Amino acid sequence: MAEALRIGVAGLGTVGASVVRVIAEKQAELARQCGREIVVTAVSARDTSRDRGIDLFRTAWFADPAELAANAEIDVFVELIGGDDGPARASVKAGLEAGRHVVTANKALLAKHGVALAEIAERKGVLLNYEAAVAGGIPVIKTMREALAGNTVNRVFGILNGTCNYILTRMEAEGISFDEVLKDAQRLGYAEADPTFDIEGQDTAHKLSILTSLAFGTRIAADDIYLEGISNITQADIRAAAELGYRIKLLGVAQRTESGIEQRVHPTMVPTASVIAQVHGVTNAVAIETDILGELLLSGPGAGGNATASAVVGDIADIAKSRPGFQHGPVFGRPAKELKPYKQAKMRSHEGGYFIRLTVHDRVGVFAAVAKRMADSQISLESIVQHASDLGDAALKTVILVTHETTEAAVRKAVDGITKDGHLADKPQVIRIERAD
Amino acid sequence: MAEALRIGVAGLGTVGASVVRVIAEKQAELARQCGREIVVTAVSARDTSRDRGIDLFRTAWFADPAELAANAEIDVFVELIGGDDGPARASVKAGLEAGRHVVTANKALLAKHGVALAEIAERKGVLLNYEAAVAGGIPVIKTMREALAGNTVNRVFGILNGTCNYILTRMEAEGISFDEVLKDAQRLGYAEADPTFDIEGQDTAHKLSILTSLAFGTRIAADDIYLEGISNITQADIRAAAELGYRIKLLGVAQRTESGIEQRVHPTMVPTASVIAQVHGVTNAVAIETDILGELLLSGPGAGGNATASAVVGDIADIAKSRPGFQHGPVFGRPAKELKPYKQAKMRSHEGGYFIRLTVHDRVGVFAAVAKRMADSQISLESIVQHASDLGDAALKTVILVTHETTEAAVRKAVDGITKDGHLADKPQVIRIERAD
């Protein structure tokens, strides 16, 4: 048997502790699968005294993760510190420059510095694996980077944030408001004390930007992503969606269009009978549409110590199975130097169906005015429903429009016009509809 | 750039032609991803004159696939001949013995000779890749063999045969009989002229046997699989399932139990709200449950020239990314010599919920007799529904029982008893219920 693969782990939070424990517990089985032992020989964490329920007795401790990363006594540096700069970036860079393979779960780091880090890894001939950075334990990186070679991706979309999906699932199941569910989610540990990063879609955007690069061979451009969170989704939206045969999910979507690549994160109506609509709670899912294969869907646990550790250990095992002299494929599917600049499609040119919910004053001519604005924008309607307003005011009505395929620009123009007409008693709600099998 | 990877393809049916075409069409992109070109340099097929819509002008032709496989002018032998013996087996064996990497889509061959072939591959230090052999274009082999390292699998189950799922989907959607749908499926090319191999579950069993080995590190034992096909599923079953909140799917299931490993293929009721219940038509799906990750589900196209070619090209690309001296992980996850003998769990000890549909003579005491037989077998019932028989005979009634968790042995004993009591007017129908999220 080959010599043991020596692992240095920086960051011993929930995920780090899980990684150390899984490697220890599955030592014999991993050796059987990889043809060599995998051993955590060194760690770095701020708190050296906390009991993490793992045996670190014979493990070397490093105060500085960058020093651990560059240490010649390890073969693989595992970065689980988090953050898009600071010690995470410094240590990953130091590790790669020193010729260590690196495994990271850090989506923020990759979204910001992924291409630069990939260039170092490819220059040094080492692996930079990051399965855990997107959709937790779901092997979407491996699938896109390896299994789909030969396929041209047309669209990739998914439920990439467990907190948002948990909130939307409970809002639908229990009929309670966003604020109520959020508070409960915070109490139960499914949402952070400051939930902005999750509920406003930034976390989804980071993950989507990585998938976009893998899908389309472009440089990572997380800042160019159109972003809408779920905090303004109401029970009225969820009920109207259900009546129309849809369910609301926060999706990240990247697709090839004539005017460039669309990257967008927003609440989305998906058909209730689609597979992705059945993805409940903290579960994540990714759908990939390609020219050769067609549509592939992967769903599973998107977060949590063990699910993330599963992906990290899978990445380490891939390195353990490789041997000196081996060159794996490039970090983002294509050589980092050849990744093309990201050409952003304007959100205004997005084409699709739209759900529009209006709260209007119950007056003669309102309906005609709304219809005229839609017609003026060349928007053809699939359905129109009018009923009593949810706001409990008899002088108000709710009008729900579902459009056929149209453009974002046309919808914005029509809704702006309706707003100017002065018939609205509340902010108009616009939710995009996404085709899904 | 490294030297081109030279591919020899044996078998130029739908899949073989797709593989040759995809490699040619995606040549530049594959080279970018793999760091070297992939070129089909030689082929073998019985008919040398047929127009397959692909350019084979500069390609060497071999009459004997085994001769092609062993030829020193190729690096990878791709076997797409089919069949569990004969030229497929001879050529794969010849290729491995000659030190060629081998890619195959042949589930029957692997189900019968997979372990012996893996031993040769591992002894020779070459790769034997077979992603296309199970669930077509879904990367389930890569997921189980690579991504889930560190996980212990507890259960793997799936919809592994597109023909069966297509028939069941149409039976439910259109309310027509098995025979009618089968005839139409044959006309449309979704079912073979002799459909036995698909509809009686053998095809599913072959694929399941491969997944079982990957999941549990056991030798492949396709012949030990409990088998029931879908030909006796009726509209009465499908309607009753829908009323109870279930959908009927032909599943292959392998799970770890106290008495060994259960491998079974049978029509199964899955909850309508589960993800796997939304897998319609020819689509396949595989669910994998592990100790670390939890439940992962993959769904996508399970058959067809392009979907299968996608998996074959992915396998070839993995080889192209490797370099001389590289040793990949073992063929079935663990070294072939260390695969344990398969210890079969007796089907009689299977535990689960059961759906039992009885057609009884409408007489005093029948219901009591049925209830007594269930009680005598210690079976507790979740629900009992009695209604007019579907057979249109007023003297008959349909009784539908859904049991709580019980054993196969108990159910068989109870149903045998009910049959002996003489109240049944038709063959009793028993369908297992499978837990699914």
Side-chain angles (χ1 to χ4, degrees), chain A residues 197-210:
Chain A
F197 192 73
D198 288 313
I199 63 170
E200 296 307 339
Q202 282 101 332
D203 175 72
T204 300
H206 281 161
K207 295 165 180 167
L208 181 66
S209 69
I210 296 169

Side-chain angles (χ1 to χ4, degrees), chain A residues 122 127 145 326-333, chain B residues 33-34 321:
Chain A
E122 289 164 21
L127 288 160
R145 192 161 75 162
F326 164 66
Q327 292 212 339
H328 207 275
V331 176
F332 292 103
Chain B
Q33 293 181 24
C34 302
K321 289 171 196 160

Side-chain angles (χ1 to χ4, degrees), chain A residues 328-342:
Chain A
H328 207 275
V331 176
F332 292 103
R334 289 85 168 176
K337 284 185 185 308
E338 294 175 28
L339 291 171
K340 293 165 283 185
Y342 167 70

Side-chain angles (χ1 to χ4, degrees), chain B residues 65-373:
Chain B
E67 199 188 317
L68 164 60
N71 189 281
E73 301 292 309
I74 66 165
D75 304 302
V76 181
F77 174 65
V78 179
E79 183 274 308
L80 301 168
I81 304 165
D84 63 5
D85 260 302
R89 182 187 180 199
S91 60
V92 168
K93 209 171 159 207
L96 295 173
E97 291 284 7
R100 307 286 158 265
H101 300 295
V102 171
V103 174
T104 178
N106 192 332
K107 54 205 167 269
L109 174 67
L110 293 172
K112 194 162 172 187
H113 302 293
V115 178
L117 295 171
E119 280 183 23
I120 304 174
E122 289 164 22
R123 176 161 48 79
K124 288 287 178 178
V126 293
L127 288 159
L128 170 56
N129 284 349
Y130 52 93
E131 187 62 82
V134 181
I138 303 173
V140 62
I141 304 299
K142 184 176 271 293
T143 296
M144 295 188 74
R145 193 162 73 161
E146 302 173 20
L148 294 181
N151 283 272
T152 302
V153 177
N154 295 317
R155 182 169 67 145
V156 54
F157 66 99
I159 296 170
L160 300 172
N161 182 277
T163 305
C164 287
N165 205 48
Y166 174 84
I167 292 173
L168 291 171
T169 300
R170 283 196 56 191
M171 282 178 72
E172 187 188 342
E174 301 169 33
I176 52 180
S177 74
F178 172 83
D179 289 329
E180 265 179 283
V181 181
L182 175 61
K183 260 184 220 137
D184 210 43
Q186 286 172 318
R187 195 178 55 78
L188 295 165
Y190 290 127
E192 305 278 343
D194 177 0
T196 318
F197 192 72
D198 288 315
I199 63 169
E200 295 306 341
Q202 281 101 331
D203 175 72
T204 300
H206 281 163
K207 296 165 179 167
L208 181 66
S209 70
I210 296 169
L211 294 182
T212 304
S213 280
L214 281 165
F216 304 111
T218 54
R219 300 190 148 246
I220 299 172
D223 294 339
D224 288 342
I225 296 180
Y226 176 83
L227 217 62
E228 255 177 58
I230 61 164
S231 55
N232 68 343
I233 296 295
T234 67
Q235 277 299 326
D237 297 321
I238 286 176
R239 278 196 304 269
E243 276 168 33
L244 295 161
Y246 292 100
R247 193 164 274 158
I248 300 174
K249 297 289 185 190
L250 183 77
L251 294 191
V253 184
Q255 75 188 109
R256 202 184 288 279
T257 74
E258 280 176 17
S259 60
I261 291 160
E262 244 180 50
Q263 284 189 103
R264 47 195 168 87
V265 173
H266 51 69
T268 312
M269 296 215 177
V270 293
T272 310
S274 64
V275 178
I276 206 157
Q278 315 307 319
V279 175
H280 302 302
V282 294
T283 305
N284 283 17
V286 184
I288 309 161
E289 285 174 15
T290 79
D291 58 344
I292 309 292
L293 175 57
E295 182 169 332
L296 186 68
L297 185 126
L298 317 176
S299 82
N306 277 344
T308 311
S310 168
V312 169
V313 173
D315 277 350
I316 294 172
D318 275 350
I319 297 169
K321 289 171 196 160
S322 75
R323 293 292 180 273
F326 164 66
Q327 293 214 338
H328 206 277
V331 176
F332 291 103
R334 289 85 169 175
K337 283 183 183 312
E338 294 176 27
L339 292 171
K340 292 165 285 185
Y342 166 69
K343 186 182 171 247
Q344 188 183 15
K346 289 276 168 290
M347 195 58 201
R348 293 183 65 85
S349 62
H350 168 69
E351 292 181 16
Y354 286 77
F355 161 97
I356 303 166
R357 182 172 58 80
L358 307 170
T359 304
V360 300
H361 296 287
D362 190 9
R363 298 189 286 233
V364 174
V366 171
F367 214 74
V370 168
K372 183 168 187 313
R373 289 292 184 179

Side-chain angles (χ1 to χ4, degrees), chain A residues 133-148:
Chain A
V134 182
I138 303 174
V140 62
I141 305 298
K142 183 175 272 293
T143 295
M144 294 187 74
R145 192 161 75 162
E146 302 173 21
L148 295 180

